Amino acid sequence: MRAKRKATVLTAAGVALAALGIAIPPLAMSASDPDVVLPAGIPDGYYDAAEGKTGAELHAALHGIIGNGEHLTYDQVWDALKVTDADPANAANVVMIYSGKAMPADANGGGQDQWNREHTWAKSHGDFGTDPGPGTDLFHLRPSAVPVNETRGNLDFDEGGQEVPDAPGSFVDGDSFEPRDAVKGDIARGIMYMAVRYDGDDGFADLEPNDQVGNDTQPFMGKLSVLLAWNTQDPPDAAEQARNDVIFDQYQHNRNPFIDHPEYADAIW
């Protein structure tokens, strides 16, 4: 049988710090230890069909588990992101994925001083647009300031380049975009979710990560080796786990398995 992942657990004080955006390392503790809060929200048996599987079999099992998620409209995404990406210090704001800065939630739109809906899996990579489905899936859609979103465009993810002026810690060059360290794993797990959720059996393209950049309109996103490294370097924190729960409970009613089980990434790819 597959070795079970040791649960990431936080003391009550740790959860409070995480809610304020203060990074803290996970503690290796048992659920029976006092003053421990376990990540909540995974229904009993949710991943039973994936137990003991690797490679293509695990990919297929996870697709079967999460493939029945509900689709939002593109307009509904606006309101959903105001909840899923709310600023823990001020619920009237949302946090920008690439800069970490907060902007007023009602400043959404297409202006240069507004934020919009960033497709981390670029919608041109598979040409799925903004139709309900991959174009509106909250697990890869995040708030981004319009100028930064325009800088990222439809670039693949990789490391290197010049620092993005409006997103310190993020970098861009001619064929790739590198997000800030604090969300590298979040973005990687969103890309991996998309590859498992959209397998070409629902009228949309079969999305797959590959180990290159410059994928343009092909249904691929790179760079896989870098995304796998980011998944390891930046494991899920309390905020990412909470976002997973909110999407499951309030919106799509499916989960991102790579947040619940980051080890699935290396087991598949």
Side-chain angles (χ1 to χ4, degrees):
M1 293 179 64
R2 175 181 57 83
K4 292 185 179 295
R5 178 171 62 98
K6 185 176 291 183
T8 298
V9 296
L10 304 172
T11 64
V15 171
L17 289 172
L20 293 174
I22 300 172
I24 56 176
L27 303 176
M29 301 175 69
S30 165
S32 63
D33 291 328
D35 196 29
V36 164
V37 178
L38 290 170
I42 306 175
D44 289 342
Y46 191 77
Y47 291 110
D48 280 359
E51 192 73 27
K53 295 181 171 65
T54 59
E57 287 188 349
L58 177 56
H59 188 293
L62 293 177
H63 176 71
I65 292 168
I66 68 174
N68 62 347
E70 296 181 15
H71 297 314
L72 279 67
T73 68
Y74 202 42
D75 284 340
Q76 288 173 327
V77 168
W78 284 126
D79 290 333
L81 290 178
K82 294 174 185 179
V83 176
T84 60
D85 293 77
D87 180 359
N90 183 349
N93 295 335
V94 291
V95 178
M96 303 297 102
I97 185 65
Y98 295 132
S99 69
K101 299 175 182 177
M103 293 183 65
D106 61 3
N108 58 293
Q112 291 297 300
D113 59 348
Q114 295 180 305
W115 64 271
N116 58 9
R117 298 155 292 188
E118 158 71 334
H119 294 77
T120 59
W121 186 297
K123 59 183 180 289
S124 64
H125 291 223
D127 194 29
F128 51 74
T130 59
D131 291 336
T136 65
D137 200 303
L138 293 173
F139 282 116
H140 84 115
L141 281 162
R142 304 298 291 263
S144 175
V146 169
V148 180
N149 199 354
E150 292 174 348
T151 297
R152 189 270 163 134
N154 70 344
L155 295 172
D156 291 276
F157 292 108
D158 197 0
E159 296 181 342
Q162 301 295 314
E163 190 167 42
V164 179
D166 295 319
S170 294
F171 299 86
V172 66
D173 59 24
D175 57 18
S176 68
F177 189 92
E178 178 183 354
R180 59 195 176 99
D181 289 347
V183 296
K184 280 182 164 71
D186 306 53
I187 288 171
R189 288 180 284 274
I191 296 300
M192 294 166 185
Y193 162 89
M194 291 291 283
V196 168
R197 171 64 181 86
Y198 299 100
D199 249 3
D201 57 0
D202 52 7
F204 297 107
D206 181 3
L207 305 182
E208 289 294 338
N210 65 5
D211 206 33
Q212 65 185 54
V213 295
N215 283 300
D216 197 27
T217 61
Q218 297 299 309
F220 308 125
M221 279 294 298
K223 190 174 183 181
L224 178 58
S225 58
V226 173
L227 296 171
L228 288 170
W230 290 351
N231 177 56
T232 299
Q233 294 164 10
D234 174 35
D237 59 14
E240 189 180 0
Q241 291 163 344
R243 189 178 194 271
N244 195 16
D245 289 344
V246 169
I247 294 173
F248 176 72
D249 291 336
Q250 299 184 31
Y251 296 105
Q252 296 181 184
H253 310 301
N254 67 347
R255 302 184 65 80
N256 184 335
F258 302 102
I259 297 174
D260 293 329
H261 289 277
E263 74 278 8
Y264 283 167
D266 288 320
I268 293 175
W269 291 290

